[in-house]
Amino acid sequence: QLQAFGGGSVQAGASLRLSCVGSKRTSSRDGRAWFRQAPGKEREFVAAIGGNGGTIYSDSAKGRFTISRDNVKNAMYLQMNALEPEDTAVYYCAGRYNNAASASRGSYNYWGQGTQVTVSS
């Protein structure tokens, strides 16, 4: 129901923009979020955006990442600046049948397949 893309391999300090597009089975007003999972670690919250545009960020994302959405295109984006090796992970987008933003992984009802981001020092 969601498709994420835009990952890649970059040097520390570079920028990447991730995109996540929802299928026709999803509502463009659903709450959406980005999570990430590094090797050997649990999936963790990165940023969320509600259907009305309200946003939540993890401490590690604040000031460097910006989440946004285009409800006409049923799409969500994550602009990542000043990337660090610690940002290396598979990034997943998620959606929930509620238009509020949430940092709770368990509150999301459907997920994309993930896109790899690798940041080298």
Side-chain angles (χ1 to χ4, degrees):
Q1 292 178 298
L2 294 173
Q3 184 173 6
F5 52 96
S9 296
V10 298
Q11 297 279 333
S15 298
L16 277 176
R17 187 187 192 219
L18 305 183
S19 300
C20 175
V21 180
S23 71
K24 292 180 180 180
R25 295 167 57 189
T26 63
S27 168
S28 63
R29 291 288 182 179
D30 284 350
R32 298 276 172 87
W34 290 98
F35 289 79
R36 68 186 183 186
Q37 188 165 17
K41 296 187 176 181
E42 291 191 358
R43 193 169 299 187
E44 65 174 6
F45 170 74
V46 177
I49 187 166
N52 63 357
T55 58
I56 305 172
Y57 291 93
S58 67
D59 288 343
S60 63
K62 285 178 185 176
R64 298 189 300 130
F65 296 0
T66 302
I67 190 171
S68 61
R69 66 190 297 162
D70 183 333
N71 290 346
V72 174
K73 296 181 179 179
N74 195 6
M76 173 179 67
Y77 310 98
L78 185 69
Q79 177 66 43
M80 304 187 294
N81 298 328
L83 283 162
E84 303 168 350
E86 293 73 21
D87 296 316
T88 295
V90 177
Y91 283 70
Y92 296 90
C93 56
R96 61 198 297 253
Y97 302 132
N98 183 303
N99 65 2
S102 172
S104 171
R105 185 176 67 184
S107 73
Y108 286 86
N109 304 109
Y110 52 95
W111 295 78
Q113 82 287 4
T115 184
Q116 176 71 46
V117 171
T118 302
V119 184
S120 58
S121 57

